[in-house]
């Protein structure tokens, strides 16, 4: 009887330790999500590269961590474009492409990874416009494939919006249609239980910028007011409006 009780206690303790380890791991992932989120709100992305490298070093074989790091690279590159720091982009993008290729080999049907592939191709166009005839259709194809795989993936709708927003009208670009895709991405981000998601804020900012640039002043003011009520002052919003953001 005593041996049976000891075995039971040992199994119970093992289960509790395993549950605790899983809980701690989840909290760590959420902690990093919140680091990116809060620093994005503050307009301070100076630590992002360090956090990305920490994640990639500490969690090389965990897909959710890998995607978090790639999404952070995505945001950092967009920030460098918007703040005219193009000299910093190539290194971040090159390593991101290498990481993305590895993850796509492991999970070829993940719509998030396809969406990131489209965005990285768009970044390369932003660095060298002569690549647009080849990389533009490639990026659009990746977005369409992502949406076909998972029509409820918000990153796919975000990239659909970016493609429509940044493409010249002659080649099918349409800012108002882009806003429809951004709204769909926002709806889907809202359905997620992730508490700290800078991408959700990014979509809302893109919607605000879209209203501003399509002369929908009432919607622009309402969206800006909602953003600041929800997230604080966001002192960088005025700088963002005239910036050239490539995603």
């Amino acid at each position: 009887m005593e041996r049976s009780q000891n075995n039971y206690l040992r199994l119970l303790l093992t289960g509790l330790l395993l549950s605790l380890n899983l809980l701690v791991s989840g909290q760590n992932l959420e902690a990093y999500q919140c680091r990116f989120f809060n620093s994005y709100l503050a307009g301070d992305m100076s630590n992002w590269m360090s956090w990305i490298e920490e994640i990639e070093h500490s969690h090389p074989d965990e897909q959710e961590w890998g995607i978090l790091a790639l999404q952070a690279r995505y945001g950092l590159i967009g920030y460098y474009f918007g703040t005219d720091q193009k000299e910093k982009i190539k290194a971040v993008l090159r390593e991101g492409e290498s990481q993305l290729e590895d993850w796509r080999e492991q999970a070829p049907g993940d719509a998030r990874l396809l969406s990131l592939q489209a965005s990285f191709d768009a970044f390369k166009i932003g660095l060298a416009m002569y690549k647009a005839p080849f990389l533009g259709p490639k990026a659009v194809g990746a977005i369409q494939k992502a949406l076909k795989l998972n029509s409820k993936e918000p990153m796919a709708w975000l990239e659909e919006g970016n493609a429509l927003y940044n493409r010249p009208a002659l080649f099918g670009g349409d800012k108002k249609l882009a806003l429809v895709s951004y709204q769909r991405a926002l709806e889907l981000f809202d359905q997620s239980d992730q508490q700290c998601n800078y991408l959700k804020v990014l979509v809302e900012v893109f919607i605000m910028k879209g209203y501003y640039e399509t002369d929908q002043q009432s919607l622009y003011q309402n969206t800006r007011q909602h953003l600041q009520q929800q997230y604080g002052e966001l002192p960088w919003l005025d700088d963002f409006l005239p910036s050239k953001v490539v995603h």
Side-chain angles (χ1 to χ4, degrees):
M1 177 68 74
E2 183 177 346
R3 181 179 299 174
S4 176
Q5 288 178 332
N6 287 339
N7 287 339
Y8 172 75
L9 290 172
R10 190 178 298 113
L11 288 170
L12 180 61
L13 180 59
T14 300
L16 288 172
L17 288 172
L18 178 60
S19 298
L20 181 60
N21 286 335
L22 290 172
L23 181 60
V24 169
S25 175
Q27 287 175 335
N28 284 340
L29 180 66
E30 185 174 319
Y32 271 95
Q33 290 169 343
C34 289
R35 283 189 193 182
F36 291 121
F37 176 80
N38 290 319
S39 60
Y40 179 76
L41 295 185
D44 179 10
M45 301 173 78
S46 58
N47 292 316
W48 278 40
M49 197 64 242
S50 296
W51 297 337
I52 290 166
E53 290 172 346
E54 286 176 15
I55 290 170
E56 291 172 345
H57 176 73
S58 301
H59 305 275
D61 302 317
E62 297 175 69
Q63 183 176 327
E64 291 308 308
W65 284 93
I67 289 176
L68 175 61
L70 287 169
Q71 289 174 335
R73 284 183 183 272
Y74 166 90
L76 186 60
I77 293 169
Y79 171 76
Y80 286 153
F81 269 111
T83 55
D84 198 24
Q85 299 183 69
K86 285 189 177 182
E87 72 281 0
K88 297 182 178 181
I89 292 172
K90 286 186 178 180
V92 181
L93 180 57
R94 189 184 306 115
E95 180 59 26
E97 284 192 293
S98 176
Q99 297 281 344
L100 178 60
E101 184 178 352
D102 290 342
W103 285 116
R104 285 200 61 199
E105 286 179 3
Q106 295 181 45
D110 192 307
R112 294 170 297 178
L113 295 173
L114 276 165
S115 303
L116 285 161
Q117 181 65 67
S119 70
F120 284 6
D121 286 337
F123 288 144
K124 288 189 281 188
I125 294 171
L127 289 172
M129 290 302 296
Y130 70 87
K131 296 182 179 180
F134 169 67
L135 290 177
K138 183 170 176 279
V140 170
I143 294 166
Q144 291 174 344
K145 186 175 180 181
L147 287 169
K148 186 175 181 180
L149 284 167
N150 184 359
S151 62
K152 294 186 177 181
E153 173 48 54
M155 275 214 71
W157 287 103
L158 168 56
E159 284 313 301
E160 171 82 347
N162 286 333
L164 287 165
Y165 200 91
N166 293 304
R167 196 184 310 150
L170 183 63
F171 298 103
D174 189 319
K175 285 182 168 59
K176 289 189 175 180
L177 278 180
L179 284 166
V180 175
S181 294
Y182 287 149
Q183 291 284 3
R184 179 58 178 153
L186 180 58
E187 290 171 7
L188 292 167
F189 277 130
D190 277 335
Q191 293 172 18
S192 167
D193 58 1
Q194 183 176 329
Q195 296 301 307
C196 295
N197 189 351
Y198 93 88
L199 288 169
K200 177 178 178 292
V201 187
L202 179 67
V203 172
E204 292 180 86
V205 172
F206 281 172
I207 291 169
M208 181 200 73
K209 184 180 176 76
Y211 288 146
Y212 179 82
E213 293 192 344
T214 55
D215 296 320
Q216 300 184 72
Q217 286 300 311
S218 178
L219 288 171
Y220 158 69
Q221 292 291 349
N222 289 341
T223 304
R224 179 170 183 143
Q225 184 178 25
H226 174 75
L227 272 165
Q228 292 179 313
Q229 286 175 344
Q230 194 168 12
Y231 303 116
E233 189 60 29
L234 303 179
W236 45 268
L237 281 183
D238 285 329
D239 294 329
F240 182 88
L241 288 173
S243 69
K244 177 63 176 176
V245 181
V246 179
H247 283 86

